[in-house]
Amino acid sequence: MKIRKGGAEDLPAILAILDSAVVWLNGRGITAQWGTESFSGRPKAVEQVARTMSEGDPWIVEIDGVPAGTMTLTPHPGQYVEPAAEPEVYVRLLATDARFHGHGVGAALLAHAAEETRRQGVSLLRVDCFAGSEGRLIEYYEGQGFTRTEPFQVGDWPGQVLERRF
């Protein structure tokens, strides 16, 4: 497993990972998290992914040279979460390609996010996630060392912000 910094040229690979994650979620009956349509098939979603990538540092996990997961670290959250009152690193667009679930890709990316946060001299790492599906994703992040902070709602989509301090 290798983690490398990405760039604008990785947009197709990142969209493919996100699309694969949608299929994986839908196959488990989870349609409320990211919907049922592919990211790459929705022009506004493609634009949002490209914008998020340009606002921060995209990272790609490769396994045997194949993109297996991604995240983008930005200095602020998306528009639906209030920025912190201090410098922060925010994990966005975290996803694992369905072919690599169970390989520790997400955990490796979150460990890398922690390293990058420390390297930048920042003491706050935050992430937000879907709070539905019995809170399984919240529990996953808690298992990765994050603590719940504030819940939020975007329309009928329940979300949860979590943080890690260094």
Side-chain angles (χ1 to χ4, degrees), residues 53-154:
M53 290 171 61
S54 72
E55 293 172 0
D57 294 320
W59 295 93
I60 309 279
V61 167
E62 293 179 342
I63 296 177
D64 297 328
V66 177
T70 186
M71 74 176 168
T72 296
L73 299 178
T74 62
H76 55 78
Q79 62 189 19
Y80 45 84
V81 172
E82 285 294 314
E86 64 186 276
E88 68 179 313
V89 172
Y90 212 94
V91 176
R92 297 172 66 190
L93 300 175
L94 176 67
T96 299
D97 185 291
R99 296 171 293 174
F100 299 99
H101 270 271
H103 288 80
V105 171
L109 283 165
L110 290 170
H112 187 74
E115 289 170 21
E116 279 296 304
T117 301
R118 285 190 212 94
R119 186 188 64 71
Q120 293 177 28
V122 175
S123 61
L124 178 61
L125 174 63
R126 293 199 307 160
V127 65
D128 65 71
C129 69
F130 179 61
S133 297
E134 294 85 51
R136 287 191 299 265
L137 197 48
I138 295 169
E139 291 172 2
Y140 171 78
Y141 284 114
E142 288 174 331
Q144 298 298 316
F146 287 82
T147 303
R148 294 177 206 214
T149 59
E150 65 272 1
F152 65 97
Q153 195 87 15
V154 178

